[in-house]
Amino acid sequence: MEGDAGGPAAARAGRRRAGGVVLGSRPAYSVRLPAPPRPEPPAGPAERTVPWLRVAAAYSWRLILVGFVVYGVFSVLGSFQLIAVALFLALVVTSVLRPPTDLLARLLPRPLSVAVALVGSLLLLLALLALVGSSVASESAQLEGEFRGGVHRIEEWLQQPPFRLGPGALSALQHQVAHYVSTHRASLLSSAVDELGRVVELVTGGALALFASVFFLHSGEHLWSWVRDRLLPSGARPVWDRAGRAAWRTFAGYTRGIIIVAATNAVLVGVGLLVLRVPLALPLTLLEFFAAFVPLVGSPVALGVATIVALAGRGPLTAVGVLVLIVVIGQVEGHVLHPLVMSWAVRLHPLVVAVSVIAGSIVAGVIGAVVAVPLVSVVWAVLNVLRAMPP
């Protein structure tokens, strides 16, 4: 009993220490001291710069990288310019002939509908060129006399104020031109041979464009599906498919719209030239149609040629009438045709169009001027589609 009585007391006494604190008990309160501040590392050169400069530097190296990629793409396309131009023409032909081909495919087999659309369009183009050639041949005798009289009228006009050219100025210019031709005959012949090589390249590119357009019209959807499924990873296929379809819709809409605008301009110019009785009205109308494919530049250049022909063939009053026609058609094209026809296909600011045409002409001449606007339109449409996609 004593052991039992003394046991608890001894245990309680063992748990006590000096100061009356029981082991294992919590104090009445506790204080947590804050951790000492860590010394910050010294700021590097990037942290010492202002924020806007860091953002500009981050964008700059990315833009430089994109510029190198774009330059490399254009360098490759420049090395294979003939193939690139031929494929571009094939895409243009496909965008124009795809609706009638699909319409004919409801009644005929697909290969036969493709053949009918291509052969019919070629026959129409050849008939138009034959009509232009026959009109020029039938008017050649009359045009020769009119142009001689027109050149004489231009000489008299240049001798009057404000030009006041001497009577022998134009004859001296003609002698200089003849002397230059006789002196540089060999170089001119070599240039003509080079142009024959260009003609061969043109025929080759046309044949390749026709060959590619046959497959694009017949099975363009299957070709795109093969490229998407075989060359792209599975995760990127939906994005690329949506971007590719948006690019094709924009390209086809732009091509059809510019053809409508060019045809309307050509009809207006043809009616105006016939009313003014300008010589070579039909060839000038056809020139206006093809020149309208270069936005903002082609139509005024074609009408400038028509003004010179009107001045030589009909006199200054008719030339002034053609100049008025240039102003009227420019206003109709800029304020009616382009907003009405092209707004559903592509929406680009006129400044963007002008800069694109000039940049394309600097890079690749006339071909670059023709390709620049549809290329910028396609890129802009693809960016809009990718920006609208959810992450």
Side-chain angles (χ1 to χ4, degrees):
M1 295 296 294
E2 291 180 355
D4 296 335
R12 287 194 299 269
R15 289 200 301 266
R16 296 180 180 274
R17 288 183 178 181
V21 179
V22 180
L23 295 178
S25 64
R26 297 179 62 185
Y29 62 90
S30 62
V31 178
R32 178 172 294 182
L33 297 177
R38 297 179 179 178
E40 296 182 358
E47 286 75 10
R48 288 198 297 267
T49 57
V50 292
W52 66 266
L53 186 57
R54 293 199 300 269
V55 173
Y59 276 105
S60 297
W61 73 263
R62 290 176 173 87
L63 290 176
I64 292 173
L65 181 61
V66 171
F68 275 116
V69 173
V70 172
Y71 178 77
V73 170
F74 276 99
S75 299
V76 172
L77 291 179
S79 301
F80 301 95
Q81 184 178 5
L82 180 62
I83 299 176
V85 172
L87 293 179
F88 176 78
L89 291 178
L91 291 176
V92 171
V93 172
T94 304
S95 64
V96 174
L97 297 182
R98 184 66 182 269
T101 303
D102 293 339
L103 186 61
L104 290 173
R106 299 178 181 179
L107 305 175
L108 302 173
R110 187 73 182 183
L112 186 58
S113 62
V114 171
V116 169
L118 284 174
V119 173
S121 60
L122 287 176
L123 290 178
L124 180 62
L125 180 60
L126 291 176
L128 186 59
L129 292 177
L131 180 61
V132 171
S134 63
S135 65
V136 172
S138 61
E139 299 178 4
S140 59
Q142 180 182 358
L143 290 175
E144 184 178 358
E146 289 183 355
F147 278 119
R148 285 181 180 178
V151 171
H152 181 68
R153 285 194 298 268
I154 292 175
E155 290 179 356
E156 294 180 349
W157 179 52
L158 291 176
Q159 292 173 9
Q160 298 174 0
F163 299 100
R164 297 185 181 277
L165 292 179
L170 292 179
S171 59
L173 181 61
Q174 293 176 359
H175 288 301
Q176 290 178 2
V177 171
H179 179 69
Y180 178 83
V181 171
S182 61
T183 306
H184 301 81
R185 186 175 301 171
S187 60
L188 293 176
L189 288 176
S190 63
S191 300
V193 172
D194 293 338
E195 292 301 324
L196 288 177
R198 292 284 185 179
V199 172
V200 173
E201 290 183 359
L202 181 62
V203 173
T204 306
L208 179 59
L210 182 62
F211 184 73
S213 61
V214 171
F215 290 97
F216 290 165
L217 287 171
H218 181 265
S219 56
E221 190 74 21
H222 296 291
L223 290 175
W224 170 247
S225 300
W226 184 89
V227 171
R228 180 195 60 198
D229 297 336
R230 297 295 182 90
L231 302 181
L232 298 176
S234 58
R237 290 171 189 171
V239 177
W240 280 89
D241 185 71
R242 188 171 180 179
R245 295 183 184 277
W248 173 248
R249 285 195 303 268
T250 303
F251 181 82
Y254 175 84
T255 304
R256 296 164 189 166
I258 200 67
I259 288 177
I260 295 173
V261 172
T264 307
N265 281 352
V267 170
L268 294 176
V269 168
V271 172
L273 294 179
L274 289 175
V275 170
L276 294 173
R277 295 188 299 173
V278 176
L280 301 176
L282 187 58
L284 292 174
T285 302
L286 187 62
L287 177 63
E288 168 65 23
F289 174 77
F290 287 110
F293 285 91
V294 183
L296 300 178
V297 179
S299 183
V301 171
L303 289 177
V305 175
T307 304
I308 296 174
V309 173
L311 180 63
R314 303 295 298 175
L317 293 179
T318 306
V320 171
V322 176
L323 289 176
V324 174
L325 184 66
I326 293 175
V327 176
V328 172
I329 290 180
Q331 295 298 318
V332 171
E333 180 183 356
H335 294 87
V336 178
L337 292 178
H338 271 283
L340 186 62
V341 176
M342 303 295 291
S343 60
W344 55 272
V346 59
R347 296 180 180 179
L348 292 178
H349 195 274
L351 180 61
V352 177
V353 174
V355 172
S356 302
V357 171
I358 295 174
S361 62
I362 293 173
V363 173
V366 178
I367 297 175
V370 174
V371 176
V373 177
L375 178 62
V376 173
S377 304
V378 166
V379 172
W380 181 247
V382 170
L383 289 178
N384 286 334
V385 169
L386 296 180
R387 189 183 297 115
M389 293 182 64

